[in-house]
Amino acid sequence: MLWLGANSWLFLSTYLLYSTGQQYHYLYNMLGLGLCISRASASVLNLNCSLVLLPMCRSLLTFIRGAHMVSSRKTRRLLDKSKTFHVACGVAVCLFSVVHVSAHLVNVISFSTSYSDDFPALNLARYRGEVRLLPGVTGVLLVLILLLMFVSSSYCIRVSNYEIFWYTHNLFIVFYIILMMHMVGGALKYQTNVETHPPGCLRANQSGPKRQDEDLVRAEDDESRCREEARFEPHYPQTWLWVSGPLCLYCVERLYRYLRSSDPVTIVTVIRHPCDVVELRMLKKNFKAQPGQYVVLNCPGVSSFENHPFTLTKVKLTFLTERFTQLLLPPPRTDMEILPMVQQRIYPKVYVDGPFGGPSEDVFNYDVSLCVAGGIGVTPFACVLDALLDGWRGFRLQRLYFVWVCREIQSFYWFAELLCALHHKLWQENRPDYFNLKLYVSRTDSLQSMSEERYRPLASRLQVGRPRWKSLLDEIGKSNKHKRVGVFCCGPKGISRTLHRLCNSARSGGTTFEFNKESFS
C-alpha cells in the first residue's frame, strides 16, 4: 500500500506541477496533456527504476532480517516478499514506459503542429510541420532492452531456457547507462524569468490584433505588462538523482559478494539419491549459516556468469579434525551412490555465495509451525529438522507439523533416515506429540511400500492421495486454539495458492494462520 501510495502521489503531484506551474505555462499551452502525462509517468519510472534494485541486494536484506532491531515478525515477512516487490516494480516500469512513450509521441506531433512563432526557443522542430525524434534515440534503445528483459522473464522461458532469462536480465547494466543519458539534449524547456515575465503578460510585439485587444483590456494594471522577453532553459534530466544511490548500493553489494565468494569450496562428497537428486557435501572457510537459509552456486565449468540458488540441508560447521571422514563420508547404502572425490573423480571448481535469509528461518519463532513440502521442496525444511535432531535450544517452537507430498515413494528415501532419527529421538525424550508427520504419495500406479524395518515409523504415516488441506488446517486449529500458527510452504504453485487462500480465511477456534512461501530470488 505504501508503494502504491508513493506512485500515485508522485504521478499526481508531477501532473499538477506541469499543468499549473507558471514556469511551464507556455510549454503546457504548446503540448497540452501530453506534457503532463509524459513527465508524470517519467517520475514514476524514476522511482521504480531506483526501487527495483533494492530487493536484489540479498546480503543487505539478510543482514536487516537477522539484525536484532528487526524483531517484528511482520517486518521479516515483508522482507521475504522482496522478489514479489522486485516483480511489481518491474511491471510498473514496463506499464509506465508504454504510457511515457505514448505521451511523447503525442508531444512530437504537438511540437510539429503547435509551432510557436512567439517563443522560438520552445520549439523542438525548426519549422512548422517538421517531425524531429532526436531525444527518441535513447528512448528506443531503452524500450528494446526493456522488452527483451520483460519477455525473457516470463515463466515459460525461465523454465525452458534459463540462460536466455539470465543473460537478457543482465542487460540492466546497459539499461541504466542509457537511462542516465536519456533526454540529455533538453528538448523540454521551462521559463526562468517568471517574475519579470508573468505567464500571459502583454508583450510589446505580440502578434494578432484580436489577441492584442483582449490583452489590452486585461492590462489596465502595469503589473500585467511584460518587463522583458521570456527566457527558457532546457529541463535537464534528473534520473541520475533517483538511481545513483540504489545503483551504487547495488554495486557495493555485488563487490562484497564477489569478494566473499572468491574462494572456491572443497567438494567432499557427491551423493546420488533416487529420482535423479544429487546431494553435495562441501567445505568452505568461515562459512556460517542458519537453518532455513540458502546459497547461490556458480560453476565456471558450466558458465562463468550464471548463478543458481540451492537450499542448505545441513548447516553444521565441520573442520579438518580426526572425525572428518566419519562426518562427511558415511558408509555406503543400497539406496544411494556415494562418489568420493579422491577415489573416483576430480570435481569442477565451484563458488558459493551466501548464505541468504529465507522464510523458513522463522519456523522456530512460532509456538506452532506447519511445514508443507512438495517433492524436492522438502530441502529447506530438512535443515530445520536436522537442527531439531542436533538438539538446538533457545527457540519458542512447541509443536511442529510436517506434511510432505511426493509423486513417487522413492522420493521419501531422500530424508528417510533423518525423519526416523528425529522420531526416535523425540520418543526417547518422551515428547511424541512435538513432531507430527504426514506423508502423501500422489501416484497410485505401481505403488510400493516402505517395507524396510528401519523405516517403520514412516510406513505407518504414509497415505495414498493428496492432502485435504481444509480438513488439515481445521484439525490443527482445534488442537491449537487461540494460537498463531506459522504455515511454511515450498512446492508447486497449486499447493501454495490453496494454502494461501485457506490461511487468509481459516479461523478455527480463534487460531490465526500466517502463510510464508519459500521463494529464491
Side-chain angles (χ1 to χ4, degrees):
M1 293 300 294
L2 182 62
W3 173 73
L4 289 174
N7 281 279
S8 302
W9 176 82
L10 192 59
F11 185 91
L12 183 60
S13 60
T14 307
Y15 184 95
L16 293 176
L17 174 64
Y18 279 86
S19 61
T20 61
Q22 290 187 332
Q23 66 271 37
Y24 303 109
H25 175 78
Y26 294 115
L27 188 61
Y28 176 73
N29 288 340
M30 178 184 292
L31 302 181
L33 293 179
L35 170 67
C36 304
I37 295 177
S38 64
R39 300 317 304 159
S41 57
S43 297
V44 176
L45 285 172
N46 288 336
L47 174 64
N48 286 278
C49 285
S50 60
L51 293 179
V52 75
L53 291 171
L54 298 181
M56 294 297 101
C57 297
R58 298 176 180 174
S59 298
L60 177 62
L61 294 179
T62 303
F63 172 77
I64 296 175
R65 198 182 192 284
H68 295 290
M69 59 181 180
V70 183
S71 57
S72 171
R73 191 160 51 212
K74 186 177 295 186
T75 304
R76 292 195 298 270
R77 293 179 65 205
L78 190 63
L79 293 175
D80 292 334
K81 299 183 183 298
S82 58
K83 181 180 177 181
T84 303
F85 183 66
H86 174 77
V87 173
C89 291
V91 171
V93 169
C94 294
L95 291 178
F96 281 95
S97 294
V98 175
V99 176
H100 184 70
V101 170
S102 302
H104 266 313
L105 291 176
V106 175
N107 289 338
V108 169
I109 298 175
S110 298
F111 269 122
S112 176
T113 58
S114 302
Y115 184 88
S116 177
D117 296 318
D118 295 330
F119 304 104
L122 278 179
N123 295 316
L124 177 64
R126 290 170 293 187
Y127 53 87
R128 187 179 299 274
E130 182 190 23
V131 177
R132 299 187 69 184
L133 296 173
L134 292 179
V137 175
T138 54
V140 170
L141 294 177
L142 289 173
V143 169
L144 291 177
I145 295 175
L146 194 61
L147 181 63
L148 284 174
M149 295 173 66
F150 179 77
V151 173
S152 63
S153 299
S154 61
Y155 178 77
C156 58
I157 292 182
R158 284 188 287 115
V159 171
S160 61
N161 198 324
Y162 184 82
E163 289 77 10
I164 295 178
F165 161 76
W166 176 258
Y167 288 114
T168 54
H169 235 60
N170 277 279
L171 289 174
F172 80 94
I173 301 173
V174 182
F175 178 85
Y176 276 97
I177 293 175
I178 299 176
L179 182 63
M180 287 187 284
M181 296 170 56
H182 185 52
M183 293 296 290
V184 171
L188 302 180
K189 301 176 183 179
Y190 66 98
Q191 185 181 346
T192 59
N193 59 338
V194 177
E195 295 182 356
T196 57
H197 185 104
C201 65
L202 179 64
R203 295 164 42 240
N205 60 344
Q206 192 166 3
S207 60
K210 183 177 180 180
R211 171 74 180 274
Q212 202 167 24
D213 293 340
E214 293 176 355
D215 289 334
L216 281 173
V217 175
R218 294 184 312 171
E220 295 178 356
D221 194 316
D222 292 338
E223 294 182 357
S224 299
R225 296 182 179 275
C226 303
R227 295 196 292 272
E228 64 179 12
E229 289 295 321
R231 294 195 301 268
F232 301 93
E233 289 186 1
H235 202 290
Y236 290 105
Q238 298 179 346
T239 302
W240 67 275
L241 294 174
W242 289 86
V243 302
S244 56
L247 193 58
C248 291
L249 181 64
Y250 180 79
C251 292
V252 171
E253 152 99 4
R254 293 297 301 179
L255 178 62
Y256 167 72
R257 288 173 53 185
Y258 173 77
L259 296 176
R260 183 176 61 177
S261 62
S262 58
D263 295 329
V265 299
T266 301
I267 300 179
V268 179
T269 311
V270 176
I271 303 176
R272 182 173 295 163
H273 291 278
C275 304
D276 296 328
V277 173
V278 176
E279 176 186 351
L280 297 181
R281 296 190 178 184
M282 302 175 288
L283 288 177
K284 184 177 181 181
K285 185 178 180 181
N286 299 325
F287 181 83
K288 296 180 180 180
Q290 299 294 326
Q293 293 183 331
Y294 69 97
V295 296
V296 174
L297 261 63
N298 172 259
C299 181
V302 177
S303 174
S304 301
F305 302 103
E306 287 187 35
N307 299 273
H308 296 270
F310 287 86
T311 49
L312 297 172
T313 57
K314 285 189 179 182
V315 292
K316 293 179 181 178
L317 298 178
T318 308
F319 299 93
L320 295 177
T321 63
E322 295 179 355
R323 297 189 58 208
F324 174 81
T325 305
Q326 290 138 4
L327 290 172
L328 295 177
L329 295 178
R333 300 207 321 251
T334 57
D335 58 345
M336 68 179 183
E337 179 185 357
I338 301 178
L339 306 173
M341 175 182 63
V342 179
Q343 298 179 6
Q344 297 197 20
R345 65 176 67 176
I346 298 177
Y347 295 114
K349 185 179 296 185
V350 175
Y351 295 92
V352 172
D353 183 18
F356 303 107
S360 299
E361 288 184 84
D362 277 338
V363 170
F364 300 109
N365 295 327
Y366 289 88
D367 293 329
V368 181
S369 290
L370 167 63
C371 297
V372 178
I376 195 61
V378 70
T379 49
F381 308 126
C383 198
V384 173
L385 299 178
D386 188 71
L388 293 176
L389 183 62
D390 286 347
W392 273 40
R393 293 293 184 266
F395 50 79
R396 60 183 292 185
L397 184 63
Q398 299 176 4
R399 181 173 294 177
L400 176 63
Y401 294 87
F402 185 77
V403 180
W404 188 7
V405 185
C406 292
R407 290 184 178 180
E408 302 176 358
I409 198 169
Q410 288 80 9
S411 301
F412 295 117
Y413 287 100
W414 299 337
F415 298 104
E417 288 194 354
L418 173 61
L419 293 172
C420 291
L422 181 60
H423 174 268
H424 291 310
K425 176 179 182 295
L426 294 174
W427 269 85
Q428 291 175 359
E429 296 177 355
N430 197 23
R431 295 191 298 165
D433 295 335
Y434 185 91
F435 182 55
N436 190 306
L437 175 64
K438 295 180 182 293
L439 304 177
Y440 293 87
V441 56
S442 59
R443 289 184 58 178
T444 58
D445 55 322
S446 301
L447 186 61
Q448 301 177 4
S449 61
M450 304 181 75
S451 57
E452 295 88 344
E453 179 66 24
R454 55 182 172 177
Y455 298 143
R456 180 179 295 179
L458 304 186
S460 62
R461 290 163 174 81
L462 180 62
Q463 303 181 45
V464 179
R466 300 180 183 274
R468 296 181 179 180
W469 299 112
K470 189 177 186 307
S471 300
L472 179 63
L473 292 184
D474 289 340
E475 178 185 345
I476 295 175
K478 292 177 181 178
S479 302
N480 304 273
K481 294 183 178 180
H482 307 291
K483 288 187 178 181
R484 192 176 296 271
V485 179
V487 180
F488 299 85
C489 178
C490 184
K493 288 185 177 180
I495 296 178
S496 61
R497 288 173 181 171
T498 302
L499 285 175
H500 195 186
R501 176 175 52 83
L502 291 174
C503 288
N504 290 336
S505 59
R507 292 292 185 272
S508 300
T511 306
T512 302
F513 294 93
E514 290 187 353
F515 181 77
N516 303 268
K517 183 180 183 302
E518 196 72 44
S519 178
F520 308 106
S521 56

